Amino acid sequence: MTRDDEILEQCLPGRSAAIMTLKGVVKNVARLPYPVLILGDMGVGKGMVAKAIHEMSGRKCFTILSSTVIPDNLIEAELFGFSKGAFSGAQVSSPGLLINTGDGTILIDQVNEMSELLQAKLLRVLEEGKIRSLGETILRPILARFIFAAHTSLLQQVKEGRFRQDLFFRINTIEIRVPSLSERREDIPVLARAILHTLHPSLTLGEDALATLRNREYRGNLWELKNLLTVAALHNVPVLRAKHIPGEEGAAILENPAAVFAVSSPQEVKPLREVVETYLRRVMELCGGNKTLAAKLLQIDRVTLYKRLGLFKNHQGDATGDAVSDAA
């Protein structure tokens, strides 16, 4: 197996026709210098596609900027950099992500959420290949390769006047669409085993549990699959069965799974205890502290829920206990 194949297997596991087609496209474009636009539903793994492209390209630095995480008034400074005194609070100069990335790769996630002003400035950078930091007059060359990701149709946004047409054609040099989990159901067993091994290496999945996972409709794609397995692992049994997999209602209770489960590098991986605690606290909040309702939604018994809540309370003290009150 070549290094490229190893990268593809690590970032994009599976052997379905849809994922094999995707792997072929990634392999073909990885070493090209052109911008790439990655499209796909929420949670399909667009970040992992970008990571595979970067690692196969031979470039060193990989930078990620999410347009939904940083406020609009800070994205420009974060991306383009600024000089000392350029604005209130700019006590020291910063070269910005584009300069810091060097000749590496920069992934701009949720590019569809960029403001009109930022779209215009990004277009100019792509056209000129140079950048001017805030408060400076010097132009610096940009060597980084751009990868953009969006979970919505940019072309539709262009038609609606919400995204610049000229910018769309600039970033759409190479377009890659990532298949949803429902388009690659035969990959679910290998994906589920890999996710569960990361969450809890000692647990395994029974055939009935795998069948349940294969037949499910996934609105949240890989995020939802991780969500299901995280909750199932709360049962603390060596082999997870179909009865341990949460139902549709229980799995959908976390409103924003991206904040807990989406990671793009090993450094971002959180301990299982921390992930489970975050999930349980959210469930308890939504249930108004009612453990009976929470246990029902999670499809576990009250004893298991009390045990988990007790462990977290013992680990972190009264602060956790306050968040998961004993109200019934």
Side-chain angles (χ1 to χ4, degrees):
M1 182 180 290
T2 66
R3 179 178 177 275
D4 285 356
D5 291 332
E6 291 177 353
I7 292 171
L8 289 172
E9 283 302 311
Q10 182 181 16
C11 295
L12 305 171
R15 306 296 295 176
S16 65
I19 203 66
M20 292 305 292
T21 298
L22 176 60
K23 289 179 181 180
V25 173
V26 168
K27 199 169 186 176
N28 289 335
V29 307
R31 291 177 176 82
L32 299 178
Y34 310 120
V36 175
L37 174 61
I38 304 175
L39 299 174
D41 297 335
M42 295 292 285
V44 294
K46 297 185 291 294
M48 296 306 294
V49 173
K51 182 180 178 182
I53 291 173
H54 167 72
E55 292 194 1
M56 293 170 63
S57 71
R59 296 172 181 261
K60 293 182 179 180
C61 183
F62 183 44
T63 303
I64 301 175
L65 173 71
S66 177
S67 302
T68 59
V69 173
I70 304 174
D72 286 343
N73 62 329
L74 297 179
I75 288 182
E76 184 178 356
E78 185 76 13
L79 190 60
F80 302 136
F82 55 87
S83 62
K84 181 180 179 180
F87 53 85
S88 177
Q91 298 180 354
V92 295
S93 298
S94 171
L97 294 178
L98 287 176
I99 295 297
N100 279 338
T101 302
D103 61 354
T105 305
I106 182 164
L107 167 62
I108 300 181
D109 195 16
Q110 305 299 341
V111 65
N112 52 291
E113 299 291 339
M114 278 190 167
S115 66
E116 186 175 347
L117 176 62
L118 197 56
Q119 289 180 37
K121 294 194 173 186
L122 180 59
L123 173 63
R124 186 170 182 177
V125 170
L126 292 173
E127 288 180 336
E128 299 179 355
K130 296 179 180 180
I131 188 175
R132 180 186 290 108
S133 297
L134 298 179
E136 291 189 356
T137 58
I138 302 173
L139 287 172
R140 294 186 175 89
I142 296 299
L143 305 176
R145 183 195 192 173
F146 286 87
I147 299 180
F148 303 92
H151 69 269
T152 187
S153 171
L154 284 185
L155 189 56
Q156 182 61 36
Q157 285 194 271
V158 169
K159 293 178 181 179
E160 296 172 357
R162 294 187 292 123
F163 197 85
R164 294 182 63 113
Q165 185 178 48
D166 45 7
L167 178 58
F168 170 74
F169 287 119
R170 276 287 179 178
I171 69 177
N172 197 39
T173 305
I174 300 173
E175 181 178 305
I176 298 177
R177 194 186 77 82
V178 185
S180 66
L181 201 53
S182 62
E183 295 177 88
R184 46 180 303 209
R185 289 188 179 279
E186 54 266 55
D187 292 333
I188 290 177
V190 66
L191 290 168
R193 290 189 181 102
I195 292 170
L196 187 61
H197 180 75
T198 300
L199 295 174
H200 206 310
S202 65
L203 298 186
T204 58
L205 284 161
E207 289 300 321
D208 56 336
L210 287 172
T212 297
L213 292 173
R214 276 196 301 264
N215 295 327
R216 188 185 183 91
E217 291 298 326
Y218 289 92
R219 292 171 293 176
N221 293 290
L222 293 175
W223 286 349
E224 184 173 346
L225 181 59
K226 291 179 182 179
N227 183 8
L228 292 172
L229 293 170
T230 299
V231 176
L234 294 176
H235 290 278
N236 199 27
V237 293
V239 180
L240 297 179
R241 299 294 182 184
K243 64 182 180 180
H244 300 135
I245 306 299
E248 295 284 348
E249 188 177 17
I253 197 143
L254 188 62
E255 291 181 348
N256 184 18
V260 180
F261 300 115
V263 294
S264 57
S265 69
Q267 291 72 27
E268 296 176 9
V269 174
K270 297 180 179 180
L272 177 62
R273 175 195 53 74
E274 183 178 337
V275 175
V276 174
E277 178 187 355
T278 301
Y279 185 86
L280 285 184
R281 289 178 61 171
R282 181 61 179 143
V283 171
M284 291 298 296
E285 288 172 4
L286 293 175
C287 295
N290 188 320
K291 292 191 180 71
T292 300
L293 176 58
K296 181 178 180 181
L297 291 176
L298 292 169
Q299 296 191 2
I300 60 177
D301 56 55
R302 285 171 60 93
V303 174
T304 301
L305 180 60
Y306 277 113
K307 177 182 177 182
R308 292 295 176 181
L309 295 178
L311 286 175
F312 293 139
K313 183 174 181 179
N314 292 336
H315 183 83
Q316 292 198 345
D318 294 337
T320 303
D322 293 339
V324 286
S325 67
D326 290 332

